[in-house]
Amino acid sequence: SRDAIWDAMKRREVYGTSGPRIMLWFDLVVEDFSYPMGSVVKLNNVPTFSVRALGSFKQLPGCPAYVVEALEKQYLDKMASGECFHPSDERHQITRIEVIKIRPQMATDEAIAPLIEDSWRVFGCPPSNHGCSITFTDPDFVTDGRDALYYVRALQESMPTINGDNLRANYDPSGRVSSTEMCFGDYRIAASDDCVAMENPRAWSSPIFIDFKD
């Protein structure tokens, strides 16, 4: 419902994707209770987290029958170039889960860069029709005795993506960028250039904020 959507946004129980409809759950597990993404929790023991991600459905060509029957071909071609959201029963694979940990400054002169650990942990995901599920802990939370937030990224298998590599860098033998061939998407490139490159679609969770409780 409309109210449920607004309520979820207010409590930050939301996530974003780079386009494909990846599904993502991220929870803090305390005893028998789970706090979802967006939660603010006070804790003084080792936190345990669970993550589950499902890849987006692989698409079938064209449009579903109900769309074709509802729109004349000229309008369908004009609105969607003859392609619609048309999911099959098969999902793309989730290839890995990345965890980001950030701690707030304890003093205004504390260096910020070491407080942002991106990525703090990385978990590979074996191929599975059931997506990817992981559980992890952070013993350092208790050792450090300071507040922290955590969020996760779920990466899907690579697929052709418009502007997936819009800089299109060229590298010299040492691995340094020697030049770029930017994809501007305007008169500066050929009309036939769709700026397509292989890229990993991804989903980002909202953070879970954990305040250290003395």
Side-chain angles (χ1 to χ4, degrees):
S1 68
R2 180 189 297 267
D3 288 341
I5 292 172
W6 282 110
D7 289 343
M9 294 179 69
K10 289 175 183 176
R11 63 179 183 268
R12 299 178 297 273
E13 195 177 343
V14 293
Y15 67 93
T17 79
S18 59
R21 303 183 185 194
I22 299 168
M23 301 184 72
L24 179 63
W25 297 261
F26 176 43
D27 299 276
L28 169 68
V29 181
V30 180
E31 297 177 348
D32 295 328
F33 189 82
S34 293
Y35 294 90
M37 64 180 82
S39 296
V40 180
V41 182
K42 291 184 180 293
L43 205 63
N44 59 6
N45 52 14
V46 174
T48 298
F49 302 89
S50 68
V51 185
R52 183 179 177 224
L54 279 171
S56 62
F57 284 114
K58 294 185 177 181
Q59 295 294 299
L60 298 172
C63 295
Y66 71 88
V67 176
V68 175
E69 293 168 1
L71 290 174
E72 294 182 18
K73 185 179 184 303
Q74 59 176 330
Y75 297 119
L76 188 58
D77 289 343
K78 181 178 181 180
M79 294 173 62
S81 297
E83 295 291 333
C84 306
F85 179 62
H86 193 186
S88 68
D89 294 329
E90 185 180 1
R91 289 184 179 273
H92 289 281
Q93 297 292 318
I94 297 295
T95 59
R96 69 182 185 272
I97 303 291
E98 300 176 348
V99 184
I100 295 83
K101 177 181 177 180
I102 302 175
R103 289 153 294 175
Q105 288 176 295
M106 297 186 73
T108 55
D109 59 350
E110 184 177 16
I112 294 176
L115 302 178
I116 303 172
E117 298 185 72
D118 183 3
S119 298
W120 173 66
R121 301 279 294 277
V122 177
F123 300 89
C125 297
S128 172
N129 293 330
H130 303 291
C132 183
S133 298
I134 62 167
T135 300
F136 66 93
T137 62
D138 181 13
D140 292 338
F141 175 76
V142 174
T143 304
D144 294 343
R146 62 189 295 171
D147 301 346
L149 70 82
Y150 307 78
Y151 72 92
V152 298
R153 284 191 295 257
L155 281 80
Q156 186 173 278
E157 62 184 312
S158 63
M159 59 190 299
T161 304
I162 295 176
N163 261 350
D165 180 24
N166 62 343
L167 291 179
R168 296 194 284 197
N170 298 307
Y171 297 89
D172 63 24
S174 66
R176 294 178 178 273
V177 175
S178 58
S179 62
T180 59
E181 300 175 23
M182 290 186 65
C183 188
F184 294 101
D186 59 21
Y187 65 92
R188 286 171 287 185
I189 62 172
S192 59
D193 190 342
D194 290 331
C195 301
V196 172
M198 298 300 289
E199 182 57 71
N200 292 96
R202 59 201 64 201
W204 298 262
S205 76
S206 286
I208 294 176
F209 304 83
I210 306 182
D211 295 337
F212 184 79
K213 182 173 66 174
D214 295 327

